[in-house]
Amino acid sequence: MLLRNSLLWMAGNPVLRRQASHSRLIRPLARRFVAGETMEQALQVTRDLNRQGAHVTLDYLGENVTAPDEAAAVRDTYIRLLDEIARRQLDSNVSLKLTALGLDISSELARDNLRAILEVARRHANFVRIDMESSAYTQATLDLFETLYCGEGFTNVGVVIQSYLYRSAQDIERLIALGARVRLCKGAYKEPPTVAYPRKADVDRNYIALAERLLLHGNYPGLATHDAAIIAWVKRFTREQGISRDRFEFQMLYGVRRDLQQQLLGEGYHLRIYVPYGEAWYPYLMRRLAERPANLLFILKALRHR
Ligand code: FDA
């Protein structure tokens, strides 16, 4: 727990971020979890994964931008990305963070940038997933989602719910009532016990409770986890309830549990791989290390052999 908290603290530290991003030792190691620094590299990885039978969601890395110009550049990158996915006929949607589109500056700015992306996605019959960030942004994210999904009729947008938050049971019911597409994950940020379950067993239990609601009543839920016990439960539950494989998808992160990914594909389940790319990979990498500090060993070993 101490190590997890330290790694999550490091994820948010701007000085470490600057140093690591330029470190010639750490940069190549990020490649285990990040497709590359360029769009071209990410599109090539997408093609390879599609050939293996996996769907993809592409994430242009970045968060917490502080200037409107930066947010506009992120918006334009997503628009180019959607155009390229369509041009190359790839099986991929996109995932994005509202703080990369300017949410820290104003919710109107983030909304306008997201709307421009959604319009292009709609033209290509594609879908946009809004990632969920720390609990400081949960309400603003869900509000913005509803404005565009209900208020402006963008049915090609979905959100993410985190099972570590106490509020998620209520949020799930509202999203089910709206017919919204939800990705369910456990949650990757450092949260206080006032808003999130501190014990992993409770987070896991809540994941199953929320997944059950989504599988029974949701709109094509994305079950994002590498937890073998939960995946086994999903397979059992859907079999028992007669829920067919085209009514939900599993989702996993690029580079994590590739054995499980191959197994699910071999068994004929829908699987979407979350493929991040871009130069701003540092906080993403630190969150992956925090989830499984044993990954640090992988990095240390690689450093020893250099
Ligand atoms: P858990 O942490 O219990 O891990 C189960 C097993 O998976 C481990 O025992 C290990 O074998 C393997 N594993 C997990 N993480 C690993 C890692 N980093 N490296 C190697 N092995 C690992 N979070 C969030 O807050 N907002 C979001 O929008 C998203 N979006 C998202 C999309 C997708 C497609 C996925 C898969 C995950 C997210 N997450 C996320 C991250 C999520 O909240 C969570 O932190 C991770 O998925 C790890 O939790 P697991 O469910 O895998 O379980």
Side-chain angles (χ1 to χ4, degrees), residues 245-289:
R245 291 175 184 190
D246 55 2
R247 283 181 44 204
F248 67 97
E249 66 184 25
F250 287 109
Q251 298 187 352
M252 294 192 192
L253 301 175
Y254 178 68
V256 176
R257 291 303 308 259
R258 280 174 279 211
D259 55 334
L260 264 184
Q261 297 180 8
Q262 290 306 321
Q263 193 186 324
L264 286 174
L265 288 172
E267 291 168 349
Y269 285 97
H270 283 288
L271 172 67
R272 187 174 302 276
I273 310 290
Y274 185 105
V275 176
Y277 81 96
E279 289 175 10
W281 44 262
Y282 172 76
Y284 180 86
L285 175 67
M286 296 314 279
R287 285 198 292 275
R288 302 295 77 82
L289 295 179

Side-chain angles (χ1 to χ4, degrees), residues 4 32-33 57 95-97 129-134 159-164 183-189 191 200 203-204 207 222-231 250-261 272-275 284-295:
R4 176 178 187 270
R32 170 166 170 184
F33 300 106
T57 186
S95 290
L96 50 78
K97 291 188 172 46
R129 176 81 61 183
I130 308 174
D131 285 342
M132 190 57 85
E133 302 179 68
S134 79
V159 275
V160 177
I161 291 293
Q162 300 152 322
S163 72
Y164 64 14
R183 172 199 296 153
L184 180 64
C185 67
K186 291 188 186 177
Y189 296 81
E191 299 291 357
K200 181 169 164 21
V203 178
D204 293 355
Y207 190 103
L223 301 173
T225 183
H226 318 91
D227 187 325
I230 292 182
I231 291 168
F250 287 109
Q251 298 187 352
M252 294 192 192
L253 301 175
Y254 178 68
V256 176
R257 291 303 308 259
R258 280 174 279 211
D259 55 334
L260 264 184
Q261 297 180 8
R272 187 174 302 276
I273 310 290
Y274 185 105
V275 176
Y284 180 86
L285 175 67
M286 296 314 279
R287 285 198 292 275
R288 302 295 77 82
L289 295 179
E291 278 154 12
R292 190 163 176 268
N295 286 339

Side-chain angles (χ1 to χ4, degrees), residues 19-184:
Q19 282 173 355
S21 304
H22 294 109
S23 157
R24 267 192 287 152
L25 287 179
I26 300 179
R27 269 177 76 186
L29 299 169
R31 284 301 292 273
R32 170 166 170 184
F33 300 106
V34 175
E37 295 198 347
T38 68
M39 187 183 293
E40 189 55 41
Q41 287 170 312
L43 291 167
Q44 273 169 23
V45 165
T46 301
R47 182 168 305 287
D48 289 347
L49 290 169
N50 285 169
R51 284 196 177 124
Q52 293 168 36
H55 314 286
V56 167
T57 186
L58 278 162
D59 167 41
Y60 176 55
L61 289 166
E63 49 203 88
N64 297 108
V65 308
T66 51
D69 284 2
E70 281 177 70
V74 173
R75 175 199 64 205
D76 293 346
T77 300
Y78 270 105
I79 289 174
R80 263 193 298 126
L81 188 56
L82 283 161
D83 285 341
E84 277 305 307
I85 290 169
R87 197 175 68 78
R88 300 181 192 209
Q89 299 183 312
L90 296 172
D91 176 354
S92 177
N93 58 38
V94 298
S95 290
L96 50 78
K97 291 188 172 46
L98 291 180
T99 65
L101 294 179
L103 187 61
D104 286 331
I105 303 164
S106 79
S107 66
E108 290 72 25
L109 180 69
R111 185 198 58 207
D112 292 348
N113 284 331
L114 179 55
R115 185 189 297 112
I117 295 170
L118 287 175
E119 274 163 1
V120 175
R122 184 158 62 187
R123 212 180 313 131
H124 292 309
N126 209 337
F127 177 81
V128 176
R129 176 81 61 183
I130 308 174
D131 285 342
M132 190 57 85
E133 302 179 68
S134 79
S135 62
Y137 301 104
T138 310
Q139 194 58 50
T141 302
L142 293 175
D143 287 347
L144 212 147
F145 165 75
E146 280 202 31
T147 302
L148 289 160
Y149 178 81
C150 308
E152 300 190 22
F154 283 102
T155 51
N156 61 333
V157 61
V159 275
V160 177
I161 291 293
Q162 300 152 322
S163 72
Y164 64 14
L165 294 185
Y166 303 132
R167 59 175 287 164
S168 290
Q170 272 187 320
D171 290 334
I172 285 270
E173 293 310 320
R174 175 150 184 88
L175 292 164
I176 286 175
L178 294 176
R181 269 176 65 176
V182 174
R183 172 199 296 153
L184 180 64

Side-chain angles (χ1 to χ4, degrees), residues 207-242:
Y207 190 103
I208 289 187
L210 301 178
E212 185 168 326
R213 297 293 300 157
L214 286 171
L215 285 166
L216 289 174
H217 305 289
N219 175 9
Y220 193 68
L223 301 173
T225 183
H226 318 91
D227 187 325
I230 292 182
I231 291 168
W233 173 85
V234 172
K235 290 182 189 172
R236 214 169 39 244
F237 183 74
T238 49
R239 211 171 32 244
E240 285 164 8
Q241 298 292 324

